[in-house]
Amino acid sequence: MKIQAIRGVKDILPDEIEKWQWVESKAHTVFARYGFKEIRPPIFEKTNLFSRGIGETTDIVEKEMYTFDDRSGEKVTLRPEGTASVVRAFIEHKMYAAQIVQKLYYLGPMFRYERPQAGRFRQFYQIGVEAMGSHHPDVDAEVMIMLMDFFKSLGLTGLKLQLNSLGCSKCRPAYRETLKDAIREHLSDLCDNCNQRYERNPLRVLDCKVPRDKEIAAELPKTADHLCDECNDHFQGVRLLLDSTNTPYDLDHLLVRGLDYYTHTTFEVSSSDLGAQNAICGGGRYNMLVEEFDGPPTPCFGFALGLERLISVVPFDQAGDFEKHPDVFIVCLGEEAQKLSFTLTHQLRSEGLSVERDYDGGSMKRQMKKANKSASRFALILGEDEINSGKYQLKNMSNSEQLEISADSCAEEIKKQL
Ligand code: HAM
């Protein structure tokens, strides 16, 4: 019986994994420089954490969650995103008690039952960042600058940072009504989806992807023109800070995001090298979510980026040699050498060298071919003569130079050559 992977999920094969590990290691390095620490929440949670956190009327909650009853009849959901889990952990472990801005990041798979297409999967990986405990515009700007710094460390250029502000619980209700009034006269021209959104979540009409709706949305009242003084000051503050560090951005009045927890700043980063699914990263401020889950008032700012999309645009050819290759490939000729190579491999590895060999032996030509394929730095050749004399041949695979080394100090001599 042939069983294939589920539609919309993919294997990350050994050929690609070094790219993933390299990108992930850059994230660990850059984020640590800004004082962020990793958190690893579970990949499934009680369903109502997501339905309440993300918003009952969002596409994610209405149509995309992998929800099931576990064996005790509890409703659980494979996480469609990480923010709600981090908020839950923040409250559960009283991380607020430290009275510092908690700067957290996470990395791992998310699950959404979306229609699979290029750049859109049902299991995909995110790197997410959450800065929890300050409403200061410095936090918004610093986190976006860190993100752009991370992209720069990967050699990425040509990315677009789009910025908007969605206001707060004080100014948004009035804006919502103004927006509904303006949408009302266009209802017959808008798609069915927008007609439904009009009542329940009218802001989402602004980011409809249907071409005719986009034209209408462009003329609708803009959030940024209906901000209260506090939101306006915050937004101008963030913009000034981005300007002061020469971080380019565009204002995008239609950027409302697909999750309901946002207040104030929202942003997305997109790449022109991607097709329809061109958003690499999205995020913003969410000042009310911790309180909504009965935690203390905790203004937060964060983002998440899609690793599949990111990795597909990283210029790996300019990244230098980040792939991992063995230091030594042991080529052994004859039965004695074959036997010895097992313990020698063990010995060299315990001395810290990375070692490969051909378990099945065979001709010198065949084994040298495999050494070449493994891209090892050196081949260590041992046959009967070498074993008898206690001197092994060490061949440099890049220039074919050969050196005789003593069996007794084999590991040190190889290390000297690396
Ligand atoms: P999001 O915009 O839903 O935000 O997702 C962030 C990123 O995840 C997207 O920009 C995209 O690159 C990637 N992504 C989303 N869905 C898929 C998919 N089906 N296949 C491949 N990649 C996908 C959030 O998840 C928020 N939690 C971000 C956040 C953190 N806001 C504040 N803190």
Side-chain angles (χ1 to χ4, degrees), residues 318-330:
Q318 292 162 29
D321 191 10
F322 60 87
E323 287 174 23
K324 297 182 193 106
H325 305 297
D327 299 319
V328 195
F329 190 102
I330 298 183

Side-chain angles (χ1 to χ4, degrees), residues 284-299:
R285 188 160 270 288
Y286 52 101
N287 285 353
M288 302 311 295
L289 194 57
V290 176
E291 267 177 272
E292 275 163 31
F293 285 110
D294 297 334
T298 310

Side-chain angles (χ1 to χ4, degrees), residues 319-377:
D321 191 10
F322 60 87
E323 287 174 23
K324 297 182 193 106
H325 305 297
D327 299 319
V328 195
F329 190 102
I330 298 183
V331 172
C332 41
L333 306 164
E335 223 171 281
E336 269 310 296
Q338 185 75 19
K339 266 193 215 144
L340 178 69
S341 72
F342 186 86
T343 43
L344 183 61
T345 302
H346 172 68
Q347 184 203 331
L348 295 180
R349 283 182 184 147
S350 42
E351 297 273 353
L353 293 165
S354 72
V355 187
E356 259 320 321
R357 59 191 261 262
D358 182 357
Y359 298 101
D360 297 320
S363 72
M364 172 96 163
K365 194 171 161 204
R366 181 191 130 114
Q367 291 187 57
M368 283 309 288
K369 225 172 168 180
K370 293 207 171 170
N372 247 326
K373 214 166 162 200
S374 78
S376 69
R377 299 273 307 276

